[in-house]
Amino acid sequence: MLRFQRYASSYAQSRVLRKYPVGGFIHGYEVRRVLPVPELKLTAVDLVHERTGSEHLHIDRDDKNNVFTVGFKTNPPDATGVPHILEHTTLCGSAKYPVRDPFFKMLNRSLSNFMNAMTGPDYTLYPFSTTNRADFANLRDVYVDATFNPLLTPEDFYQEGWRLEHSDIKDPKSNIVFKGVVYNEMKGQVSNADYYFWIKFQESIYPSLNNSGGDPQKITDLFYQDLVDFHHTHYHPSNAKTLTYGNFPLEESLQRLNEEFQKFGKRSRVTGELLPVCLSQDLDVRKAGQADPMLPPERQLKTSMTWICGKPQDTYETFLLGILSNLLMNGHSSVFYQKLIESGIGLDFSINSGLDSASAVNFMTIGLQGVQDVDGFRKTVKNIFAEVVNKPFNRDRIEAVIQQLELSKKDHKSDFGLQLACALVPSWTNKVDPFDSLLFDEILGRFREDLENKGDSLFQDLIEKYIVNKPSFLFTMEPVEDFSQRLEAEEKERLCRKVDQLNERDREIVYNRGLLLQEKQNTKEDLSCLPSVKVSDIPRSDDTFEVRRQEPNVWARMTDTNGISYIRTKRELGNSIPVDLYPYLPLFADSLTSLGTSTEDYSDIEDAMKLHTGGVSTMIDVSSDPVTTKPHLYFRVSGWSLNSKTEHVFDLWRKLLLETDFRKHSDKLKILIRALASNNTSAVAEAGHSFARGYVAASFSAASGISESFNGIEQLQLINRLNSLLDDEESFQREVVEKLIELKKRVISSQGLEFFVTTDSDPVVSSLAKQISQFESHLPNTLHQDGLDPTSFPLLPQKPSTLINFPFQVHYAARSLPGVAYAHQDGASLQVLANLLTFKHLHTEVREKGGAYGGGANYSALEGMLNFFSYRDPRPLQSLQTFENAGQHALQEAQWNSADLDEAKLTIFQRLDSPISRKSEGVSMFYSGVTDEMRQTRREQLLDVTRSDVDRVAEKYLLNKQGSNAVVGPEIDSQTVPPNWQIKNL
């Protein structure tokens, strides 16, 4: 009650108490505690269900984007991935909604802006968010019934988990193979070197916490009954944590939950505390991993040192550890960055670096990738901690961390509730009181007080308590050249063992089960039991955001920014860049916020940035004209701060744009290139479909070609090549430094600058206009016109099919075809067509039948490209064939009705009408040229698309049209071979 009284005077205590009376009951739930949190403009209500003991947290906040979440404590019993496969199968049909995959069916029967489910190390979470009250009730009902009353049919287990099935389902003599959505998802995860390092680290330091996602080598040991038993044990109200957020009435959600929970009794919770290894002395573990084909042999090692630092339940000490981790590792001025990365000991921090409070203990980890000398790394880390514990901490850096926390709290986020739910519920399942996590001002006030009284000892005591002269967990992953082949051999051997154990009756079951599963996948279902919002619920008029022209080149958006100003500028580069310099533009933009100036190190600039602003960024962007698809090439700079500190943003811009010294800081430039190269392969493993899609689209339009040069396979090749030059100083200066210096002359100019400011008052707008004028006066007034016009950017040669060779366990496939400009009337019909194909055809063919983790079609309205993709796909060539036949399917086989058309439109408007942050209001006009009038016209076109429109564009843009295909992944024996396939090796 002391906390409550502390806030009473500023937060209308009596109103809150009347709404949520402590000790009162609401639909079977007792109100246990109420906590107003005025600094976050919310009230938290802690309730418990009397009958089952289920706990509920309600966050009352005046936010229309409402959130519902149900979470369970799900300690994995082994590495078969049973929590993960259960997460998938609970969403495959329930007692009230006995249709195949109601979760995916609801994706196009809803106006939600987020729907998902996720498996954590020892918890499972089911969140959604929507602004529509009827939609909220619909989705809540589906989620509650799915989690507590799932059908869990054997067919769903085989489809989502794993199964043995003939490669040709209709041929009992064809080879038997492993299939399954989760099985292939996790094979894809294993292909990501960062994930593999992380999961093997976790398995080694935390052997009691089994791999909840599932190890592909163990998934095939899971039986259907194991899944059913796990659900019975863990998916019970007594083991559930539910959360609601927003401005919808709490009573409605509690009433629905109470109705569901009445058939349950009270049960002991799943409380088994899983603890990591006991570190009585240093423990050294080494594992084998995949060699990175884009890094030199001597830079392949990943290694880390970890200390156990108390428990997350002590929220204040965990907060201090987070600040300490930030001071030690975050930014160019941090001691570990300077002495581990700038010194060249490693290329970048490893994925497990920093503070991890997600489980039963806190881990503090210092890790590197690209290490040459593991012993040298460990010695250096110990020496750094020995020095840090005896040296004062920079007070400005501490204050900068606090300022970043404060600014983050003030910065309006459209998905604030969703972020809050996904932060609170996982730790809540591990006994961290969510009220403690919400007391931001109280924790910060205590920290400031302790810092004043204790000074540096506040952090030094933590280091002495947990790290200096304390045992650590040492983990290293060493590369093996044939690692991928070893995994393939293991899978073949495991498959052979499974198949050899089959008798004739078993083989008959495998064959018939495959036919049965396909029959179920092909069955057209009656979906009338599923709730749905209607297209008529979508407003015909779009939101508009008034933007006024303050000066000829200054646009202003006035809105409630909570005392913050967001400042953006862009300069169209036109024909100022020679074609050979185009690929260097992203590196140029990255360098501006990484190197330093003639008089200052970047570490000092970055410290000032954190102390006075929310951040400054620079980037190169290409966008397609919404009317002509002509590419526009822009240099963009942005920054934000409190209204009272905007002059710091412009001061930082001036330093970075005018004074960055590429020659003086060429060593820092090498560090940047090495870090970029060290992350390339993991980036492709995580988003291979995007790289494949970008590559094939570059054959059709200049904008896509430039984007591929900046962000795709071509950019990876450039960084790879530059990385190989770093030890040749003459070549490095010629091929990198000189080119960036030349780009600086061509990019930085006051010519053609435009500005967009978002703030909350006229006086601030006027002040910003003056600061903009002063900023412009410092810039050179140069104009280069001897470069390549973006419209003439050379396209990639159009090849029917390209394999982009990476040593992964799965593939990613893409197919692209040209469409039309944003303003063209066919664009809306193409967008509806893409959604129809995804939900009514490709989901079944690529995911359910093919076993890929994901697949579908999308229409990029601004780029004017129709794209098909598959993600973590065990049979990419079949997926490509499905993509190529999509036009024929749409015109000759699909039996889409008006309800299907409406559902396709609903999925489009989920994205179009999802809430946006205040800082983003009106920005699309500034960056892409899409006006409110264009958006309104497009909106009406989408709402008015008919079946005949869909058929017309399917015939015009898809049927018998020459698209371009790409697959990312390893070569497929005897199939991806020249001349039909171009092989691209990186």
Side-chain angles (χ1 to χ4, degrees):
M1 291 301 294
L2 288 176
R3 289 175 183 158
F4 188 87
Q5 291 168 358
R6 179 176 179 176
Y7 295 115
S9 62
S10 62
Y11 205 76
Q13 176 182 3
S14 59
R15 184 184 66 81
V16 173
L17 280 175
R18 285 197 303 272
K19 192 174 183 181
Y20 305 112
V22 175
F25 280 82
I26 309 173
H27 295 296
Y29 281 84
E30 180 186 2
V31 179
R32 296 192 294 191
R33 296 177 297 168
V34 179
L35 175 68
V37 187
E39 65 269 24
L40 297 177
K41 300 179 182 178
L42 62 83
T43 298
V45 187
D46 171 36
L47 307 103
V48 63
H49 190 246
E50 185 180 32
R51 179 176 177 83
T52 63
S54 183
E55 294 180 316
H56 185 89
L57 179 65
H58 179 61
I59 307 292
D60 184 318
R61 194 168 190 255
D62 187 18
D63 187 343
K64 67 178 183 178
N65 196 17
N66 285 251
V67 177
F68 176 86
T69 304
V70 56
F72 301 93
K73 176 72 169 171
T74 49
N75 294 342
D78 48 40
T80 59
V82 60
H84 187 188
I85 294 172
L86 180 59
E87 173 225 305
H88 280 240
T89 51
T90 56
L91 301 173
C92 287
S94 64
K96 190 174 181 180
Y97 305 109
V99 299
R100 190 177 74 254
D101 220 344
F103 174 79
F104 276 92
K105 302 293 190 301
M106 285 302 296
L107 285 174
N108 55 2
R109 300 169 72 88
S110 162
L111 287 171
S112 67
N113 50 76
F114 184 88
M115 276 180 68
N116 212 336
M118 51 204 74
T119 304
D122 55 2
Y123 63 86
T124 308
L125 201 60
Y126 297 84
F128 71 79
S129 61
T130 180
T131 61
N132 184 287
R133 188 166 171 178
D135 193 34
F136 186 87
N138 291 344
L139 291 172
R140 180 185 60 214
D141 205 48
V142 170
Y143 268 56
V144 168
D145 204 58
T147 51
F148 293 103
N149 307 300
L151 297 178
L152 296 186
T153 66
E155 292 81 12
D156 292 332
F157 168 75
Y158 294 128
Q159 175 184 287
E160 297 297 316
W162 77 277
R163 64 188 183 272
L164 292 173
E165 190 171 272
H166 289 281
S167 54
D168 181 348
I169 293 173
K170 297 179 180 179
D171 181 5
K173 295 182 179 179
S174 63
N175 293 333
I176 293 176
V177 297
F178 286 130
K179 288 186 180 180
V181 172
V182 171
Y183 182 71
N184 286 305
E185 177 188 353
M186 298 314 295
K187 282 180 68 178
Q189 284 283 62
V190 167
S191 296
N192 185 327
D194 282 345
Y195 169 82
Y196 194 74
F197 177 81
W198 164 259
I199 197 63
K200 290 304 173 185
F201 160 77
Q202 186 186 63
E203 288 174 358
S204 301
I205 196 172
Y206 224 133
S208 64
L209 189 61
N210 291 295
N211 183 347
S212 61
D215 182 339
Q217 297 181 8
K218 303 295 183 183
I219 288 174
T220 52
D221 293 333
L222 183 68
F223 291 95
Y224 166 66
Q225 191 59 45
D226 298 331
L227 183 86
V228 175
D229 293 344
F230 192 82
H231 179 270
H232 177 73
T233 302
H234 295 79
Y235 281 47
H236 187 279
S238 300
N239 191 45
K241 311 280 190 186
T242 51
L243 178 147
T244 46
Y245 165 92
N247 59 9
F248 294 159
L250 168 64
E251 291 80 2
E252 295 175 3
S253 290
L254 296 186
Q255 182 177 5
R256 174 65 186 94
L257 290 169
N258 185 49
E259 289 171 358
E260 182 63 39
F261 293 172
Q262 285 304 309
K263 59 177 176 267
F264 294 92
K266 188 172 289 188
R267 177 191 288 185
S268 299
R269 291 184 182 141
V270 178
T271 56
E273 187 175 46
L274 305 178
L275 295 174
V277 294
C278 180
L279 290 180
S280 56
Q281 59 183 16
D282 284 352
L283 184 60
D284 195 341
V285 175
R286 293 178 181 252
K287 296 284 185 179
Q290 175 68 55
D292 190 327
M294 300 182 73
L295 289 179
E298 70 276 8
R299 287 291 193 173
Q300 296 280 343
L301 283 173
K302 294 183 173 75
T303 189
S304 63
M305 301 176 70
T306 302
W307 291 265
I308 297 173
C309 301
K311 296 192 173 185
Q313 287 83 353
D314 187 339
T315 51
Y316 180 63
E317 185 176 80
T318 301
F319 171 82
L320 292 179
L321 287 164
I323 298 288
L324 176 62
S325 172
N326 191 308
L327 293 171
L328 294 176
M329 281 182 272
N330 191 3
H332 290 246
S333 63
S334 64
V335 62
F336 279 105
Y337 181 85
Q338 291 181 344
K339 296 197 174 185
L340 294 179
I341 296 173
E342 285 194 352
S343 69
I345 291 177
L347 301 179
D348 203 352
F349 287 118
S350 60
I351 191 172
N352 59 340
S353 292
L355 180 70
D356 180 359
S357 302
S359 57
V361 299
N362 293 320
F363 292 129
M364 180 73 80
T365 299
I366 311 292
L368 289 182
Q369 54 192 38
V371 176
Q372 293 175 288
D373 179 3
V374 172
D375 291 335
F377 158 76
R378 293 172 179 175
K379 183 179 179 181
T380 302
V381 170
K382 289 182 178 180
N383 288 340
I384 293 171
F385 274 120
E387 293 174 11
V388 167
V389 80
N390 292 310
K391 283 186 175 181
F393 284 82
N394 184 307
R395 288 305 175 92
D396 281 347
R397 291 203 69 228
I398 297 173
E399 187 60 34
V401 173
I402 296 172
Q403 289 301 313
Q404 291 301 301
L405 291 172
E406 293 273 17
L407 270 174
S408 178
K409 182 185 69 176
K410 292 176 73 70
D411 183 32
H412 175 267
K413 300 174 181 67
S414 60
D415 62 346
F416 174 82
L418 187 65
Q419 290 187 30
L420 194 63
C422 292
L424 291 177
V425 177
S427 58
W428 189 17
T429 63
N430 272 312
K431 303 179 183 177
V432 176
D433 187 342
F435 273 29
D436 288 344
S437 301
L438 288 169
L439 290 169
F440 179 82
D441 272 11
E442 186 170 301
I443 290 174
L444 201 57
R446 180 180 171 186
F447 171 64
R448 286 190 180 279
E449 187 176 323
D450 284 350
L451 186 63
E452 183 67 27
N453 295 329
K454 299 179 181 178
D456 294 319
S457 65
L458 189 61
F459 298 116
Q460 292 165 344
D461 289 349
L462 279 177
I463 296 172
E464 293 221 353
K465 179 180 179 181
Y466 290 120
I467 296 176
V468 173
N469 297 322
K470 301 298 189 296
S472 62
F473 180 80
L474 314 169
F475 184 76
T476 301
M477 183 159 282
E478 300 168 322
V480 177
E481 284 296 332
D482 63 345
F483 183 75
S484 184
Q485 290 83 349
R486 291 185 186 187
L487 290 180
E488 291 176 12
E490 185 281 332
E491 183 183 49
K492 288 179 181 178
E493 183 182 337
R494 177 163 34 93
L495 177 63
C496 285
R497 289 199 306 270
K498 295 278 187 186
V499 173
D500 288 345
Q501 291 171 2
L502 301 177
N503 56 34
E504 287 303 313
R505 174 62 180 155
D506 296 330
R507 289 175 179 270
E508 186 178 343
I509 290 173
V510 168
Y511 174 65
N512 289 331
R513 187 175 66 208
L515 294 176
L516 178 65
L517 188 57
Q518 186 177 70
E519 180 184 355
K520 182 179 178 182
Q521 292 162 343
N522 288 334
T523 301
K524 187 169 179 63
E525 298 179 289
D526 178 6
L527 303 179
S528 59
C529 65
L530 287 175
S532 178
V533 292
K534 299 179 176 61
V535 170
S536 58
D537 294 327
I538 301 172
R540 194 163 180 86
S541 296
D542 205 348
D543 290 335
T544 58
F545 305 108
E546 181 186 358
V547 176
R548 72 185 192 210
R549 178 170 274 170
Q550 187 72 15
E551 300 288 342
N553 67 333
V554 179
W555 300 86
R557 165 66 184 162
M558 294 273 290
T559 187
D560 179 11
T561 59
N562 207 15
I564 291 174
S565 290
Y566 304 91
I567 313 160
R568 305 167 178 90
T569 186
K570 67 177 184 180
R571 178 175 181 249
E572 186 161 10
L573 299 179
N575 59 350
S576 60
I577 309 298
V579 65
D580 64 305
L581 293 183
Y582 265 73
Y584 288 82
L585 282 166
L587 180 61
F588 169 76
D590 286 344
S591 298
L592 295 177
T593 53
S594 299
L595 303 190
T597 70
S598 304
T599 58
E600 285 185 272
D601 289 337
Y602 187 72
S603 58
D604 295 327
I605 297 172
E606 186 182 51
D607 284 347
M609 188 186 300
K610 291 178 179 178
L611 186 61
H612 299 298
T613 77
V616 167
S617 64
T618 55
M619 70 174 294
I620 294 290
D621 179 51
V622 60
S623 64
S624 298
D625 188 280
V627 177
T628 65
T629 70
K630 172 187 173 182
H632 295 281
L633 182 62
Y634 291 109
F635 173 59
R636 290 169 29 179
V637 188
S638 62
W640 61 287
S641 72
L642 294 174
N643 292 341
S644 60
K645 291 192 169 188
T646 53
E647 72 277 4
H648 292 283
V649 172
F650 291 103
D651 183 53
L652 287 163
W653 283 8
R654 181 186 56 77
K655 287 181 181 179
L656 297 177
L657 302 189
L658 293 177
E659 300 173 21
T660 293
D661 193 327
F662 297 97
R663 208 179 302 281
K664 178 179 178 181
H665 298 288
S666 60
D667 285 344
K668 293 271 286 185
L669 181 56
K670 292 179 181 179
I671 293 167
L672 173 62
I673 292 171
R674 289 190 181 107
L676 291 171
S678 73
N679 292 301
N680 278 344
T681 301
S682 290
V684 178
E686 191 61 29
H689 62 307
S690 295
F691 283 91
R693 189 170 56 202
Y695 189 83
V696 290
S699 301
F700 295 106
S701 79
S704 297
I706 296 170
S707 181
E708 160 64 19
S709 171
F710 289 171
N711 307 302
I713 297 298
E714 298 290 304
Q715 181 66 200
L716 299 188
Q717 287 187 299
L718 172 68
I719 296 299
N720 219 17
R721 183 174 70 81
L722 299 186
N723 194 39
S724 69
L725 301 176
L726 300 185
D727 294 329
D728 182 342
E729 192 60 32
E730 182 179 345
S731 296
F732 175 71
Q733 290 292 325
R734 183 181 66 253
E735 293 294 321
V736 185
V737 175
E738 295 297 337
K739 291 182 185 295
L740 297 184
I741 291 173
E742 179 63 22
L743 278 174
K744 182 179 176 182
K745 296 175 185 176
R746 293 173 174 272
V747 171
I748 309 304
S749 171
S750 61
Q751 286 283 328
L753 275 183
E754 294 182 84
F755 296 83
F756 189 100
V757 299
T758 307
T759 191
D760 55 7
S761 72
D762 284 322
V764 177
V765 172
S766 298
S767 174
L768 287 170
K770 293 176 183 175
Q771 292 173 21
I772 286 171
S773 179
Q774 286 184 326
F775 168 71
E776 287 183 290
S777 69
H778 291 289
L779 299 180
N781 191 27
T782 54
L783 183 62
H784 293 263
Q785 294 184 307
D786 57 343
L788 177 76
D789 189 288
T791 57
S792 301
F793 189 86
L795 305 183
L796 287 182
Q798 187 171 343
K799 303 284 186 180
S801 299
T802 300
L803 180 106
I804 303 165
N805 200 350
F806 274 89
F808 299 154
Q809 297 301 300
V810 290
H811 293 83
Y812 307 80
R815 175 174 173 80
S816 290
L817 303 99
V820 293
Y822 178 90
H824 194 288
Q825 62 180 4
D826 285 354
S829 301
L830 283 165
Q831 199 162 355
V832 173
L833 170 63
N835 281 38
L836 281 166
L837 287 170
T838 295
F839 290 99
K840 302 300 178 182
H841 178 52
L842 299 176
H843 176 74
T844 298
E845 296 298 319
V846 176
R847 179 178 166 117
E848 293 181 348
K849 294 181 181 179
Y853 182 47
N858 66 63
Y859 183 70
S860 177
L862 272 175
E863 291 180 342
M865 295 296 302
L866 183 60
N867 305 298
F868 297 85
F869 68 93
S870 68
Y871 186 78
R872 293 178 180 168
D873 191 347
R875 46 171 229 171
L877 303 186
Q878 290 91 325
S879 295
L880 288 176
Q881 191 63 52
T882 300
F883 299 157
E884 290 178 24
N885 295 335
Q888 178 181 331
H889 172 84
L891 291 167
Q892 300 176 14
E893 300 166 18
Q895 298 178 351
W896 297 326
N897 55 35
S898 59
D900 296 327
L901 207 63
D902 285 352
E903 290 175 7
K905 294 176 184 179
L906 284 172
T907 60
I908 294 169
F909 281 94
Q910 286 173 4
R911 184 175 65 257
L912 288 182
D913 290 350
S914 62
I916 64 172
S917 62
R918 294 190 180 99
K919 64 186 174 188
S920 300
E921 295 173 357
V923 171
S924 64
M925 180 276 294
F926 181 67
Y927 280 148
S928 65
V930 177
T931 64
D932 284 346
E933 292 75 19
M934 287 180 184
R935 289 195 298 115
Q936 180 59 36
T937 299
R938 176 79 170 193
R939 186 181 191 86
E940 294 172 8
Q941 290 171 343
L942 286 166
L943 288 169
D944 294 340
V945 168
T946 64
R947 173 62 198 268
S948 62
D949 292 329
V950 171
D951 288 346
R952 177 177 55 78
V953 296
E955 182 173 9
K956 184 176 180 180
Y957 298 97
L958 268 185
L959 194 64
N960 302 320
K961 292 298 185 289
Q962 183 64 48
S964 188
N965 301 327
V967 170
V968 170
E971 294 185 31
I972 302 172
D973 292 344
S974 72
Q975 297 185 73
T976 54
V977 294
N980 294 328
W981 281 80
Q982 170 189 229
I983 308 299
K984 193 169 186 66
N985 294 303
L986 277 77

